[in-house]
Amino acid sequence: MDVNPIEKERGITILSKNTGIQWGKIKINIVDTPGHADFGGEVERVLQMVNGVLLLVDAAEGPLPQTRFVLRKALEQDLPVVLVINKIDRKDARPKEVLDEVVSLFIDIGCADHQLDFTVIYANARVGTATLDLDVPGRDLRPLMEAIIAHIPEPPGDTEGSFQMLVSNIDHNDYVGRIAIGRIFRGKIHPGDPIVRIRGDEKTSHRVTKILEFLGLERNELAEAKAGDIIALSGVEEVNITETLADINTPEAVQAVMVDEPTVTVDFLVNTSPFAGREGKYLTSRHLKDRLDRELESNVALRVTPTLSPDTITVSGRGELHLSVLIETMRREGYELGVSKPQVVVVEKEGVKKEPVEYVVIDVAEEYAGAVIESLGKRRAQMMNMIAYGSQQRLEYTMPTRAIFGLRGELLTLTRGTAVINHTYYEHQPLAGEIPHRGVGALIAAETGTVTAYALENLKQRGIFFVPPGTEVYAGMVVGRATTDKDLTVNAVKAKQLTNMRAAGSDDSPDIPPPELMTLEKALEFIEDDELMEVTPKSIRVRKRLLTEEDRKRAKYASSRE
């Protein structure tokens, strides 16, 4: 059901989607939610559409941090759970141990006693089989369907009462405009019926044009929908998520679930680099503001705050992944912008300043576990558990969210790219104190021009470069990471002087290592407070806020005097 190009490329679910299947005479509505806590806003807003959950866990990996987040939200709503342990055909599958881990997770979250009495299904989704007993091979998915019908209740609702529907998702169609997707809590609705849209104290009248139901990957037109149905409804322009559509005679709002507050914030700035405007269509602060206002209509976990500077907008979200997906979407639409280093949102509770803390799980080969433990210790991480399975170690930690910035790159370097890291929001705790910043300095381009292989060969002892020969750079742009902790200004565009004399070896091809190309996530983790990430439809660049060396020296001197 993943249709977003970023979802397909990354293999993750970002947006909640729903469908329906017919099992005999019973229609089962299914809502697919993201697992990552960064997209938790998607989970929270759709939980009111459902009456129970299928908790899908890998038979080898077991419950991950994302599992904890989504399960906690479901148990807070007291939704019945059917546990599905999938991929039991894997060679390293350990379904019995995974079941014990899930029970421990329920207890750790603080579930009620009756919530521990859940049904367990063992499945192999690839071949489409499920079974209640590991000793009895599954033949089809009948046990799963029967468990859903037996343990997940029908949606409650008064079909005779006045119409009431909560909008949980938004779609768009070129012919009918905005489409509201949600569950009918009460009453019936037909095409042509007059309804009221309720947004806080504001009420506007509309008329339903079309009603669609979800079945498989298709949408079918309906002549009537009633309480309990999940439908798509057109005819209400400018409708937004969490609003209520109600009967025109008795307009009553449905109470929407509160969404958790953001934990990470960045500044979006107008792109002021010398290369601004070369690749993008939308460059101004007005373009950025209009695009972010549109994003707020569907991205309920996002917060946008104007700043004193007209060229800067503060954007807050659930985590680096949440914000990086927004930035990636915008650059694909033709936007150019500068992005500051992510900062955590510190809140004050009962006179104590508190910061967000993450629950982190790292799977790593035994030989690298020592180096990983040492690295995490420097970042004020607290070890909660250490489990060995096979040749792998699973390390479980809690650590400040700001300590996670740059962690992924560091651990992949330490473990030769083999570490698997998962994390999710845990809770707010008192400020943990200083955390070491990036351990290396930046290599900064001294001149504007085209990078030459001759220059890189002479500079390869200074650090690792982000740009291959032939790349255009400008003065003040960060072109690599230094081997020392100090910033170095280098001439990466120096060309070889041509003479009419030949010397032995002068025609040898330059021996330069391959560049470390910057991705959006890498750049976001790499930048420091005095740097910006420049994002355009074709390029990701890192630059200093102050492009000239004199300005940087002046600013450094001024800050040392304060």
Side-chain angles (χ1 to χ4, degrees):
M1 294 199 298
D2 291 345
V3 291
N4 185 305
I6 300 176
E7 291 180 314
K8 289 179 179 177
E9 287 165 24
R10 301 189 184 207
I12 59 173
T13 303
I14 295 170
L15 305 168
S16 292
K17 297 162 209 74
N18 57 289
T19 185
I21 54 171
Q22 200 72 35
W23 182 256
K25 293 182 180 179
I26 298 170
K27 185 183 178 193
I28 301 171
N29 286 310
I30 301 166
V31 182
D32 177 29
T33 63
H36 291 78
D38 284 36
F39 310 115
E42 293 284 315
V43 177
E44 288 151 342
R45 68 180 170 81
V46 299
L47 279 179
Q48 280 180 289
M49 289 167 73
V50 299
N51 294 92
V53 294
L54 294 180
L55 179 64
L56 193 62
V57 180
D58 190 298
E61 291 178 349
L64 292 169
Q66 297 95 291
T67 318
R68 168 187 289 267
F69 171 80
V70 181
L71 180 61
R72 189 176 79 235
K73 292 291 174 189
L75 294 180
E76 282 172 5
Q77 301 281 319
D78 201 17
L79 297 172
V81 177
V82 174
L83 172 64
V84 181
I85 298 178
N86 188 30
K87 301 184 185 176
I88 56 171
D89 58 319
R90 279 180 63 162
K91 288 179 183 175
D92 54 350
R94 45 189 192 96
K96 289 181 179 174
E97 293 96 317
V98 165
L99 176 57
D100 292 339
E101 287 173 17
V102 173
V103 172
S104 300
L105 178 61
F106 268 74
I107 295 165
D108 194 27
I109 287 172
C111 67
D113 291 347
H114 70 274
Q115 290 173 326
L116 275 170
D117 185 21
F118 53 82
T119 303
V120 184
I121 306 285
Y122 301 96
N124 178 358
R126 184 188 289 179
V127 295
T129 61
T131 178
L132 293 165
D133 188 347
L134 280 169
D135 298 326
V136 181
R139 295 180 184 172
D140 51 28
L141 288 176
R142 192 177 298 274
L144 174 62
M145 295 302 179
E146 288 172 352
I148 291 171
I149 291 163
H151 300 287
I152 293 178
E154 283 185 63
D158 172 15
T159 56
E160 301 306 318
S162 56
F163 173 69
Q164 194 182 41
M165 168 181 160
L166 179 68
V167 180
S168 299
N169 211 342
I170 294 290
D171 199 358
H172 189 274
N173 183 296
D174 289 340
Y175 299 104
V176 297
R178 286 171 82 79
I179 299 171
I181 299 171
R183 172 175 152 189
I184 302 175
F185 279 77
R186 192 175 65 199
K188 297 177 183 176
I189 190 74
H190 310 84
D193 285 357
I195 55 171
V196 170
R197 179 188 63 130
I198 305 171
R199 178 194 291 177
D201 296 329
E202 181 192 334
K203 292 175 186 169
T204 55
S205 299
H206 304 270
R207 191 171 292 276
V208 179
T209 54
K210 268 189 182 179
I211 300 169
L212 303 167
E213 69 164 347
F214 297 88
L215 200 62
L217 296 176
E218 297 175 357
R219 294 182 185 183
N220 301 326
E221 213 165 316
L222 291 179
E224 179 187 79
K226 56 185 185 300
D229 290 344
I230 294 176
I231 62 164
L233 180 150
S234 60
V236 186
E237 278 304 307
E238 297 181 7
V239 65
N240 284 324
I241 290 166
T242 70
E243 293 177 1
T244 302
L245 302 179
D247 182 77
I248 198 158
N249 298 315
T250 51
E252 293 174 35
V254 179
Q255 187 62 43
V257 171
M258 288 301 292
V259 174
D260 287 348
E261 287 301 306
T263 56
V264 175
T265 181
V266 296
D267 287 341
F268 282 16
L269 299 89
V270 172
N271 186 14
T272 56
S273 91
F275 292 172
R278 284 190 179 187
E279 298 168 2
K281 287 191 293 183
Y282 308 112
L283 316 171
T284 65
S285 56
R286 181 179 59 82
H287 284 135
L288 289 181
K289 186 177 183 308
D290 290 349
R291 177 62 183 82
L292 290 169
D293 286 345
R294 283 206 313 279
E295 186 68 23
L296 287 173
E297 292 173 2
S298 57
N299 199 336
V300 292
L302 201 73
R303 301 283 183 277
V304 175
T305 320
T307 62
L308 294 174
S309 165
D311 292 344
T312 306
I313 304 168
T314 299
V315 181
S316 308
R318 284 292 185 78
E320 263 187 296
L321 186 60
H322 185 201
L323 294 169
S324 69
V325 166
L326 170 62
I327 296 164
E328 178 65 32
T329 305
M330 287 175 66
R331 73 181 279 242
R332 289 183 185 200
E333 291 171 4
Y335 287 83
E336 282 193 18
L337 63 152
V339 182
S340 72
K341 180 186 175 183
Q343 307 285 348
V344 296
V345 179
V346 177
V347 296
E348 195 162 322
K349 293 181 180 177
E350 298 156 11
V352 180
K353 285 189 174 178
K354 294 189 174 183
E355 66 177 334
V357 169
E358 304 269 324
Y359 170 65
V360 184
V361 174
I362 300 162
D363 290 313
V364 63
E366 219 168 300
E367 62 202 274
Y368 301 122
V372 170
I373 291 167
E374 185 184 347
S375 169
L376 289 166
K378 293 174 186 172
R379 291 173 177 260
R380 298 187 180 268
Q382 303 289 321
M383 184 180 276
M384 296 176 73
N385 203 357
M386 186 172 176
I387 307 162
Y389 60 97
S391 62
Q392 293 284 105
Q393 293 272 6
R394 173 164 286 186
L395 310 172
E396 298 180 14
Y397 283 88
T398 58
M399 63 193 292
T401 299
R402 60 196 164 102
I404 288 180
F405 304 149
L407 175 67
R408 193 177 298 272
E410 185 178 327
L411 293 193
L412 290 177
T413 305
L414 287 173
T415 63
R416 299 192 177 181
T418 57
V420 178
I421 307 149
N422 289 284
H423 57 89
T424 184
Y425 169 74
Y426 187 65
E427 63 180 6
H428 272 73
Q429 291 180 3
L431 281 167
E434 276 297 309
I435 288 169
H437 289 282
R438 185 176 79 203
V440 294
L443 297 176
I444 308 159
E447 293 180 24
T448 301
T450 304
V451 175
T452 64
Y454 174 74
L456 294 190
E457 187 176 28
N458 290 327
L459 293 168
K460 64 184 178 185
Q461 306 301 325
R462 300 291 179 93
I464 298 166
F465 281 84
F466 302 150
V467 288
T471 308
E472 280 196 89
V473 297
Y474 53 81
M477 179 173 153
V478 175
V479 292
R481 66 172 86 231
T483 47
T484 67
D485 59 353
K486 296 276 192 300
D487 287 352
L488 288 173
T489 303
V490 296
N491 185 356
V493 301
K494 186 178 180 182
K496 186 176 181 181
Q497 296 301 314
L498 297 177
T499 70
N500 60 358
M501 300 292 289
R502 295 191 63 169
S506 64
D507 293 330
D508 290 351
S509 58
D511 177 24
I512 50 174
E516 182 190 324
L517 297 176
M518 270 290 161
T519 62
L520 203 143
E521 276 83 10
K522 272 187 188 175
L524 210 53
E525 287 188 344
F526 179 80
I527 58 176
E528 282 294 350
D529 292 330
D530 66 335
E531 294 164 354
L532 294 173
M533 175 174 71
E534 181 191 346
V535 179
T536 75
K538 294 180 183 173
S539 311
I540 303 287
R541 303 185 186 98
V542 177
R543 53 163 284 191
K544 289 291 180 182
R545 282 180 185 259
L546 302 172
L547 294 177
T548 66
E549 194 163 7
E550 290 109 46
D551 287 346
R552 292 195 293 273
K553 282 179 178 174
R554 205 174 287 127
K556 192 174 180 182
Y557 177 71
S559 64
S560 66
R561 292 284 302 271
E562 288 175 3

